[in-house]
C-alpha cells in the first residue's frame, strides 16, 4: 500500500529550533504506519524546481538534529510562490504567481498535507495557499517573537540568551574603559529581544520600536551614570528603534527578489545622535547581527520545537488544515492561521514587563 505523504518545509530566515520541529514531525509520523514524511529543499523552491528537490525524511537522516542550529532543509526569503521573482533579460524583475502550478505539482506528487515552518511572511503564504484549497498547517518560528497567536515562537529565547551572553561581555569592558557601549540586536519592528536582553543583562537604556526615544532623555540617563560615580553605561537598541518623530534605520537590500526592508546599523546612528546631544563619554557600538540566529538552540527551544513538530503532525491526522500550532498559557494548542496573521505581536507599552523594566531603572528614553 502506498503511504500518505506529508511535506515539510522551512521558509524565511533560519532560526534555532527548526531541526527540532522537523525531527518531532518525523518521529511522531513513524508511529503511524501509513504515513511518509518528505522535505522540500529551500522552502517551496524545492517543489517548484524541475526536477523537484524533495527528499524523504526518516529516523536516520533526522537523528540527533534537534541539537543543531540552522535547518537541514535549507531556507530562503526569496521564494514566495505567490509573488515569485523572475529576472528578465534586461535585469529587471517581474513577479509571477506560481501558486496554481505549486498546488498541481503537490497533487501530482501525491502530497496529502503540507507543514510550513515559518514566520509572519511564511504563514501569510500558508493562509493564501489554504484559501486556494491546499491542506496546510503552520508552525510559528522566528527569533523576533513578533508572530501573533502564540505566546512564544521557538528560537526567540535562544536569541535572547546569545544577546545576553554578549551583553555581559560588553559590561566588563565598558566598566574598564568608562565607556558607553551600544549593543544592537535584531527583532525587526518588535523590541522583544532588546527588552528581554536589557532586563537579563541589567542595561541602563533600552530602545525599542514600540517606544520612540528622545535623545536628550537618553543622554540625561547616561550622564547620570557618570555624575553618580559609576562611570560607564550599557545600552541595548533594537534594530527597528526610532527617535521620536523619526524613522527606523533602513537599508535597501540590493538583492534580487528580496522583498523585505533591511534593518541593521542603527547603533551607529544612535552613537552619532548621542555625541551631538552632548554625551561626553567615549562610545563604542556592537551590532550582533546573525549570531543571534546561529548555533545550537537552548533547551527551551529544543523542547518547544519538538512539541510543535509532534503537534503539527497530529494536526495533519486530525485534518486541522488552515491552522497554526501555538504555545499558549504553557500549553500547546492550535489557532486559525487567519487569526495568527491578522495582527503583529508588538510590545504593549503598558505591559507589566515594561513597567518592571522601568522599576529596575531601565530608561526607554521617553
Ligand atoms: O526575522 C528574523 C531576522 O533575523 C530579523 O530579526 C532581521 O531583521 C532579519 O531576519 C534579517 O534578515 P536576513 O537574514 O535576510 O538578513
Amino acid at each position: 500500500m502506498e503511504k500518505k505523504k506529508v511535506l515539510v518545509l522551512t521558509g524565511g530566515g533560519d532560526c534555532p529550533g527548526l531541526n527540532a520541529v522537523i525531527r518531532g514531525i518525523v518521529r511522531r509520523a513513524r508511529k503511524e504506519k501509513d504515513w511518509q514524511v518528505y522535505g522540500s529543499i529551500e522552502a517551496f523552491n524545492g517543489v517548484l524546481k524541475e526536477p523537484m528537490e524533495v527528499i524523504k525524511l526518516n529516523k536516520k537522516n533526522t537523528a540527533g538534529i534537534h541539537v543543531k542550529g540552522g535547518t537541514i532543509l535549507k531556507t530562503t526569503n526569496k521564494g514566495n510562490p505567490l509573488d515569485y521573482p523572475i529576472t528578465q533579460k534586461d535585469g529587471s524583475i517581474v513577479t509571477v504567481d506560481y501558486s496554481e502550478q505549486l498546488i498541481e505539482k503537490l497533487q501530482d506528487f501525491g502530497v496529502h498535507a503540507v507543514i510550513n515552518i515559518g514566520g509572519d511572511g511564511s504563514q501569510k503564504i500558508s493562509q493564501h495557499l489554504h484559501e486556494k484549497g491546499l491542506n496546510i498547517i503552520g508552525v510559528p518560528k522566528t527569533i523576533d517573537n513578533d508572530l501573533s497567536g502564540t505566546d512564544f515562537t521557538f528560537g526567540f529565547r535562544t536569541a535572547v540568551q546569545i544577546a545576553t551572553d554578549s551583553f555581559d561581555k560588553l559590561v566588563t569592558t565598558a566598566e574598564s574603559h568608562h565607556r558607553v557601549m551600544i549593543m544592537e540586536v535584531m527583532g525587526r519592528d518588535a523590541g522583544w529581544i532588546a527588552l528581554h536582553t536589557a532586563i537579563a543583562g541589567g542595561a541602563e537604556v533600552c530602545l525599542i520600536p514600540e517606544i520612540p526615544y528622545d535623545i536628550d532623555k537618553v543622554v540625561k540617563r547616561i550622564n547620570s551614570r557618570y555624575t553618580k560615580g559609576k562611570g560607564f553605561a550599557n545600552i541595548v537598541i533594537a534594530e527597528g528603534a526610532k527617535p521620536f518623530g523619526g524613522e527606523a534605520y533602513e537599508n535597501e537590500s540590493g538583492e534580487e527578489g528580496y522583498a523585505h526592508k533591511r534593518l541593521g546599523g542603527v547603533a551607529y546612528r544612535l552613537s552619532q545622535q548621542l555625541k551631538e546631544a552632548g554625551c561626553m563619554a567615549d562610545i563604542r557600538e556592537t551590532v550582533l547581527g546573525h549570531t543571534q540566529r546561529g548555533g545550537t538552540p537552548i533547551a527551551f527551544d529544543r523542547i518547544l520545537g519538538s512539541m510543535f513538530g509532534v503537534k503539527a503532525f497530529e494536526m495533519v491526522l486530525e485534518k486541522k488544515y488552515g491552522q497554526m500550532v501555538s504555545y499558549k498559557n504553557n500549553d500547546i494548542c492550535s489557532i486559525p492561521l487567519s487569526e495568527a496573521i491578522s495582527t503583529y505581536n508588538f510590545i504593549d507599552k503598558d505591559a507589566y514587563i515594561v513597567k518592571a523594566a522601568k522599576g529596575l531603572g531601565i530608561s526607554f528614553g521617553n
Side-chain angles (χ1 to χ4, degrees), residues 21 49 57 59 79 103 108 112 128 134 141 153 160 162 169 171 187 195 216 230-231 249 289 302 315-316 329 349:
V21 182
K49 269 188 190 157
L57 292 171
K59 196 176 174 202
I103 293 174
D108 291 349
H112 284 74
H128 278 291
L134 188 69
K141 76 85 230 200
T153 50
V160 170
I162 293 167
K169 293 180 173 78
V171 170
L195 178 55
D216 293 326
K230 287 285 181 195
Y249 188 78
R302 295 182 203 183
M315 285 163 65
V316 170
N329 304 322
K349 50 184 185 321

Side-chain angles (χ1 to χ4, degrees), residues 31-335:
K31 292 187 181 295
E32 309 297 321
K33 295 282 169 273
D34 51 344
W35 282 91
Q36 171 64 51
V37 185
Y38 285 82
S40 172
I41 303 298
E42 229 183 60
F44 285 110
N45 286 354
V47 178
L48 290 170
K49 269 188 190 157
E50 217 47 79
M52 288 204 313
E53 248 190 276
V54 165
I55 57 165
K56 260 189 189 179
L57 292 171
N58 51 42
K59 196 176 174 202
K60 199 170 166 207
N61 60 15
T62 58
I65 61 168
H66 59 303
V67 177
K68 291 184 189 156
T71 161
I72 61 160
L73 293 176
K74 314 292 180 232
T75 187
T76 180
N77 34 27
K78 298 177 188 170
N80 181 351
L82 301 149
D83 225 0
Y84 204 85
I86 309 278
T87 310
Q88 304 298 102
K89 277 193 184 128
D90 65 358
S92 63
I93 293 175
V94 292
T95 55
V96 181
D97 182 355
Y98 277 143
S99 53
E100 300 296 336
Q101 287 95 320
L102 177 85
I103 293 174
E104 227 173 84
K105 284 188 96 174
L106 289 169
Q107 274 164 358
D108 291 349
F109 190 56
V111 170
H112 284 74
V114 172
I115 298 176
N116 188 9
I117 313 169
D120 184 53
S122 300
Q123 301 316 339
K124 282 184 179 140
I125 296 170
S126 299
Q127 173 63 16
H128 278 291
L129 293 173
H130 171 63
E131 283 165 14
K132 286 177 180 274
L134 188 69
N135 295 339
I136 193 161
I137 281 161
V139 179
K141 76 85 230 200
T142 167
I143 62 162
D144 303 338
N145 202 40
D146 58 359
L147 200 60
S148 288
T150 182
D151 290 349
F152 287 107
T153 50
F154 66 86
F156 166 66
R157 290 197 177 178
T158 300
V160 170
Q161 190 60 55
I162 293 167
T164 302
D165 291 345
S166 301
F167 184 90
D168 292 347
K169 293 180 173 78
L170 290 171
V171 170
T172 58
T173 174
E175 190 168 10
S176 310
H177 287 266
H178 301 292
R179 280 176 175 156
V180 174
M181 289 289 183
I182 303 173
M183 188 178 88
E184 176 183 322
V185 296
M186 284 184 164
R188 283 199 183 278
D189 302 315
W192 292 107
I193 300 176
L195 178 55
H196 281 241
T197 304
I199 294 174
E204 279 68 50
V205 177
C206 175
L207 303 178
I208 57 174
E210 292 88 341
I211 306 178
Y213 61 88
D214 174 341
I215 195 67
D216 293 326
K217 293 199 171 139
V218 178
V219 171
K220 199 171 161 204
R221 176 75 179 97
I222 298 294
N223 285 347
S224 75
R225 293 276 298 174
Y226 287 83
T227 51
K228 286 184 186 153
K230 287 285 181 195
F232 70 99
N234 286 81
I235 301 176
V236 182
I237 183 166
E239 61 181 1
K242 44 186 174 290
F244 198 73
E247 294 298 326
Y249 188 78
E250 287 179 26
N251 307 294
E252 283 300 316
S253 91
E255 293 171 12
E256 282 180 15
Y258 190 88
H260 308 282
K261 60 185 176 190
R262 260 195 91 183
L263 297 166
V266 71
Y268 300 102
R269 179 175 77 176
L270 177 66
S271 181
Q272 194 58 37
Q273 289 170 337
L274 285 173
K275 282 174 203 153
E276 285 165 9
C279 176
M280 301 303 285
D282 291 341
I283 308 170
R284 293 291 186 273
E285 313 80 11
T286 302
V287 179
L288 280 193
H290 292 78
T291 59
Q292 293 158 93
R293 268 175 28 191
T296 306
I298 61 167
F300 180 86
D301 285 330
R302 295 182 203 183
I303 298 163
L304 188 61
S306 300
M307 288 203 287
F308 277 0
V310 170
K311 179 70 176 178
F313 184 75
E314 286 172 350
M315 285 163 65
V316 170
L317 295 177
E318 291 159 16
K319 297 191 169 55
K320 284 194 164 173
Y321 304 127
Q323 301 253 325
M324 186 185 84
V325 185
S326 159
Y327 174 67
K328 270 195 182 163
N329 304 322
N330 209 21
D331 201 6
I332 304 292
C333 57
S334 66
I335 58 155

